[in-house]
Amino acid sequence: MSPLYTRAVIALGSNLGERSDTLSAAVADLVDPPEVRLLAISPIVQTKAVGGPPDQPDFLNMVIAVETSLPPLGLLEHCHDVEQKHLRVREVRWGPRTLDVDIITYGDVVSSDPELTLPHPRAAERAFVLYPWSLIDPAAELNGERVGDLAAKAADFADLATFDGFQNSAAADVTATEITGVPGAGERP
């Protein structure tokens, strides 16, 4: 990585419209400017909505790793521009949306700025972020713990399913053993 670039991890989710197509187009939009370079892209997982109004459609989620010359707030503005391009509406907190783009980490930056808290304040609790991230960077850590281990302990871990691109096909459940390599990891009583 160039000294002028910083590595960032970005999570994307969608539960309205053509979810898979939206995610693919959003990744292309995020890495379109020369200031953002794609390093890795995770497979897509399907999950139940976490928080927000009940009875929302399932989300498709993924994570990308990029390197960027944009400052943190510049990257946030770019992420918001991409959300707007895909008709993101912010009516209800954690409500249904065509696209959600969150910066999870930006290098080693730690910030409690209300506009952009880094690392993302709820990432360590969300398997839908942690599991895809562990697939593209198994050694990645958040708050001093491997993201795969955090994923296996997250409350929403049991609701994760791999997504094969077909809306009506049965998705395979993800197991904690698959991400941690430890038999019995993440089992719940």
Side-chain angles (χ1 to χ4, degrees), residues 7-52:
R7 182 183 173 95
V9 174
I10 299 173
L12 298 87
S14 174
N15 74 336
L16 293 177
E18 297 297 324
R19 303 168 304 161
S20 183
D21 292 344
T22 298
L23 292 177
S24 295
V27 169
D29 293 336
L30 285 166
V31 301
D32 183 50
E35 297 86 4
V36 183
R37 300 175 183 167
L38 183 64
L39 298 175
I41 184 168
S42 78
I44 296 173
V45 296
Q46 184 164 303
T47 64
K48 302 290 182 203
V50 174

Side-chain angles (χ1 to χ4, degrees), residues 93-94 102 104 119-130 142:
R93 183 172 185 183
W94 297 331
D102 289 322
I104 305 304
H120 188 285
R122 290 170 298 283
E125 306 162 0
R126 294 181 168 172
F128 66 82
V129 169
L130 299 162
L142 186 59

